[in-house]
Amino acid sequence: MRMSRSGIISFWIIALLSMLPFVSCSNSIADFTEIDCPDAICGRAFEFALLYKETGMQYELGGQSPLRSAGIDCSGLVVMCYKYALVDTKYNLLFDDASAKAIYMNYSTPTRFPRRGDLIFMGEADTASVTHIAIFDKIENEKVYFIDSTQKDDNNDGVYEINGVTARNYEKNDGRIKAYGKMRLAY
């Protein structure tokens, strides 16, 4: 079986990502200051989200793997993109793994003006609950653009129209968008 050029590129991107060393992200750092994520780190996190999208990474609940076959969920995507973005910097995440709700409540600072790479917290339109997280791209023509990992069967036929890391958008005033936030880091 021959692999397409994009398949070969995707394979090598994932292979390289899986070889990157991980930054220690535990709270065991004795003395640190919490700060909002700097612009450059946010931009790098977004670039890693694009790489995940380009590889065709599938959705997997609880997934947080750099390996294509393992899959990744929404918070896993955010965590992994930020872990990669923090390699060779003086910053660390404040946690090893967290749900969308935990990141919203404990590890982010609300913002009204998100930058590329910031966080979008989402949930069902008729609730206030945060159940989903994405990486912000831009607001353009009254639409909010983002990259996330999800699985959706829009017409209940058992086939997922969305399955994995994709670039999507919602209307700016869509009730599923709950808040925007800046990732908090240890410095």
Side-chain angles (χ1 to χ4, degrees), residues 3-16 51 54-55 68:
M3 198 181 276
S4 69
R5 186 175 200 284
S6 63
I8 292 170
I9 292 169
S10 295
F11 170 81
W12 284 109
I13 289 170
I14 292 299
L16 291 172
L51 287 175
E54 290 171 9
T55 65
R68 183 175 186 180

Side-chain angles (χ1 to χ4, degrees), residues 80-92:
M80 294 306 294
C81 288
Y82 272 88
K83 281 184 178 182
Y84 289 134
L86 294 170
V87 169
D88 293 330
T89 72
K90 56 190 170 189
Y91 306 103
N92 291 295

Side-chain angles (χ1 to χ4, degrees), residues 22-32 34 79 83 86 91-97 107 184-187:
F22 289 103
V23 174
S24 172
C25 298
S26 68
N27 278 345
S28 63
I29 303 167
D31 294 315
F32 66 89
E34 280 190 37
V79 169
K83 281 184 178 182
L86 294 170
Y91 306 103
N92 291 295
L93 284 177
L94 296 169
F95 57 94
D96 288 320
D97 188 18
Y107 305 115
R184 302 284 295 160
L185 302 176
Y187 173 69

Side-chain angles (χ1 to χ4, degrees), residues 97-133:
D97 188 18
S99 67
K101 183 177 180 178
I103 294 171
Y104 173 68
M105 294 180 68
N106 303 312
Y107 305 115
S108 68
T109 301
T111 183
R112 291 181 51 207
F113 305 104
R115 310 162 290 179
R116 178 176 268 182
D118 276 339
L119 310 172
I120 302 177
F121 299 101
M122 299 182 228
E124 295 299 320
D126 57 348
T127 72
S129 182
V130 169
T131 57
H132 188 66
I133 189 170

Side-chain angles (χ1 to χ4, degrees), residues 35-50:
I35 64 163
D36 288 336
C37 186
D39 291 349
I41 302 296
C42 285
R44 286 179 68 186
F46 181 81
E47 293 301 318
F48 282 109
L50 283 174

